[in-house]
């Protein structure tokens, strides 16, 4: 977990709630949640006030807080764009690790990386900026997961797998060792990947094949 500054969660939906749970469980002070849905303003999320939209971030100087990206798989690379927009405005993102996660030696988690409850990162794993390893996913030795990727709950990556920028590995998918999942690719939930997936590819099934083939 990065330096414990007061933290603001962006997004009060499903992913925001899970991120907030991790922060609270780790004893981080969370001062507010912001959400673009005005219907959520004035409510609370796990007891933390939803104070308004992103404009409310102006209450704090960027150097005085950390942000936690609570936007998950809400289409159109929205999570990535939000991260980049906030970085351009000089904000910094918390690196978030649930206390129950197992992080091996020489594993590295870049700014804004998120590791949920019960996930395992074995030795030598590199997790990119703003990437998610979701609940109970298992990432074996020396895997490299690129910026903004999402490894969904329960997925298994065997040793030496590379997942490139913006790719999505669906819930419960299995990827055998040394495979490459190309930039922006999608591995459907439950797929078993035994061949490399090209950039932008979308694969499904056991063994995984291109969708529609
Ligand atoms: O599969 C799992 C375990 N989690 C999924 C997660 C990875 O992705 C989850 O089940 C959902 O499929 C999805 O969660 P997410 O992204 O939290 O989606 P949703 O529950 O729809 O909530 C998104 C929230 O973000 C909504 O309340 C939106 O109003 C808010 N939002 C969208 N854009 C924003 C912005 N809030 C702020 N502050 N700024 C934005 O730009």
């Amino acid at each position: 977990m990065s330096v414990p500054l007061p933290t603001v969660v962006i997004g009060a939906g499903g992913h925001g709630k899970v991120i907030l749970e991790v922060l609270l469980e780790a004893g981080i002070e969370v001062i507010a949640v912001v959400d673009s849905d005005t219907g959520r303003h004035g409510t609370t999320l796990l007891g933390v006030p939803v104070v308004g939209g992103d404009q409310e971030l102006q209450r704090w100087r960027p150097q005085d807080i950390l942000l936690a990206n609570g936007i998950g798989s809400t289409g159109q690379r929205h999570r990535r764009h939000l991260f980049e927009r906030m970085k351009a405005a000089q904000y910094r993102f918390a690196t978030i690790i649930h206390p129950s996660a197992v992080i091996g030696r020489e594993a590295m988690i870049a700014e804004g990386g998120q590791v949920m409850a019960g996930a395992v990162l074995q030795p030598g794993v590199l997790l990119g900026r703003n990437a998610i390893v979701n609940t109970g996913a298992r990432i074996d030795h020396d895997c490299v997961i690129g910026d903004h990727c999402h490894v969904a709950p329960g997925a298994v990556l065997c040793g030496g797998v590379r997942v490139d920028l913006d790719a999505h590995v669906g819930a419960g998918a299995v990827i055998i060792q040394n495979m490459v999942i190309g930039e922006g690719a999608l591995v459907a939930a439950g797929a078993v990947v035994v061949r490399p997936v090209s950039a932008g590819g979308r694969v499904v099934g056991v063994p995984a094949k291109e969708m529609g083939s």
Side-chain angles (χ1 to χ4, degrees):
M1 198 78 80
S2 40
V3 187
L5 282 175
T7 299
V8 176
V9 173
I10 301 179
H15 192 65
K17 185 185 277 185
V18 173
I19 283 300
L20 181 53
E21 170 69 22
V22 179
L23 292 165
L24 296 175
E25 193 62 21
I28 303 294
E29 180 191 9
V30 183
I31 51 177
V33 178
V34 292
D35 195 288
S36 51
D37 178 359
T38 54
R40 294 191 190 271
H41 300 169
T43 67
T44 59
L45 187 70
L46 303 182
V48 177
V50 181
V51 296
D54 293 344
Q55 66 281 1
E56 295 300 324
L57 292 173
Q58 291 168 17
R59 296 179 185 199
W60 304 279
R61 297 183 307 168
Q63 61 267 39
D64 293 337
I65 60 168
L66 288 175
L67 299 182
N69 195 347
I71 308 295
S73 300
T74 310
Q76 305 290 319
R77 297 188 179 164
H78 194 54
R79 174 181 172 82
R80 174 181 178 173
H81 293 146
L82 184 122
F83 180 86
E84 290 171 345
R85 192 167 77 243
M86 294 301 169
K87 288 299 295 175
Q90 309 301 323
Y91 287 98
R92 292 168 295 166
F93 280 80
T95 296
I96 294 170
I97 304 169
H98 193 280
S100 70
V102 174
I103 310 294
R105 289 174 178 76
E106 298 180 4
M108 296 207 314
I109 302 171
E111 180 180 359
Q114 303 178 339
V115 183
M116 304 309 183
V120 178
L121 271 59
Q122 289 287 19
V125 167
L126 304 181
L127 181 65
R129 297 190 323 151
N130 194 39
I132 307 169
V133 175
N134 224 319
T135 313
R138 285 161 284 165
I139 315 294
D140 223 295
H141 68 91
D142 303 310
C143 287
V144 178
I145 299 176
D147 293 351
H148 317 295
C149 288
H150 180 198
V151 179
V156 175
L157 276 56
C158 296
V161 169
R162 200 181 89 206
V163 182
D164 289 345
L165 181 77
D166 267 335
H168 178 94
V169 178
V174 174
I175 303 177
I176 69 164
Q177 59 269 36
N178 301 322
M179 289 296 108
V180 175
I181 309 299
E183 181 174 331
L186 170 78
V187 175
V192 175
V193 175
V194 297
R195 293 202 173 80
V197 178
S198 54
R202 300 162 74 84
V203 298
V204 62
V206 182
K209 294 192 168 71
E210 280 289 328
M211 284 183 195
S213 67

